[in-house]
Amino acid sequence: MADTEAKWYILHTYSGYENKVANDIMKVVENRNLQNVIEDVYLPVEMTKQTKENGKEVEVEEKLFPSYVFVKMIITNESWYICRNTRGVTGFVGPGSQPTPLSEEEVKNLGIIEKETSISFDAGDRVSIKSGPLEGFEGVVKSIDLEHSTADVDVSMFGRSTPATLELSAIAKI
């Protein structure tokens, strides 16, 4: 049952359980140190603007594929068991609930292929924050994690330096 290369699979979940399933799988992977078997869990979302009853416009995270979670893993008895027995999972997408990997073309069409991240700043550079709750603030990059597309930044807030981990796409060199 074991393969040597990680492939993308789709888990079907109960409606509204997508975030919990993704978080629970990643916690088990982290706790059992199984990053070499289950490499990534992906939940495609997009930000949309909605108008509340009071007329105020807010950004809301909307799932692109409700009730589905994408998992990049090597199929082993352990990885199959972890995914299949996570609370909220109804099964794998495939014939007879057997895990069927996505083809390269399907992965590309779904937009879940790892994107090459190009950045224009290094550790020690001053950056401005372009989006998120800290938008408009400035800070100094302490470290960059290309694997997770994040950077640790000391943000200057109200005369103090506050550490924050931010998406690389949310910051720009000054």
Side-chain angles (χ1 to χ4, degrees), residues 20-22 24-25 28 81-90:
K20 181 156 181 40
V21 165
D24 287 353
I25 290 172
V28 169
Y81 184 85
I82 289 167
C83 290
R84 186 63 186 90
N85 291 296
T86 297
R87 182 182 161 111
V89 173
T90 61

Side-chain angles (χ1 to χ4, degrees), residues 13-24:
T13 68
Y14 291 120
S15 180
Y17 276 72
E18 302 91 346
N19 290 335
K20 181 156 181 40
V21 165
N23 289 334
D24 287 353

Side-chain angles (χ1 to χ4, degrees), residues 23-35 38:
N23 289 334
D24 287 353
I25 290 172
M26 289 312 293
K27 279 182 192 171
V28 169
V29 167
E30 193 173 310
N31 290 340
R32 295 187 188 175
N33 198 22
L34 295 171
Q35 292 85 351
I38 300 177

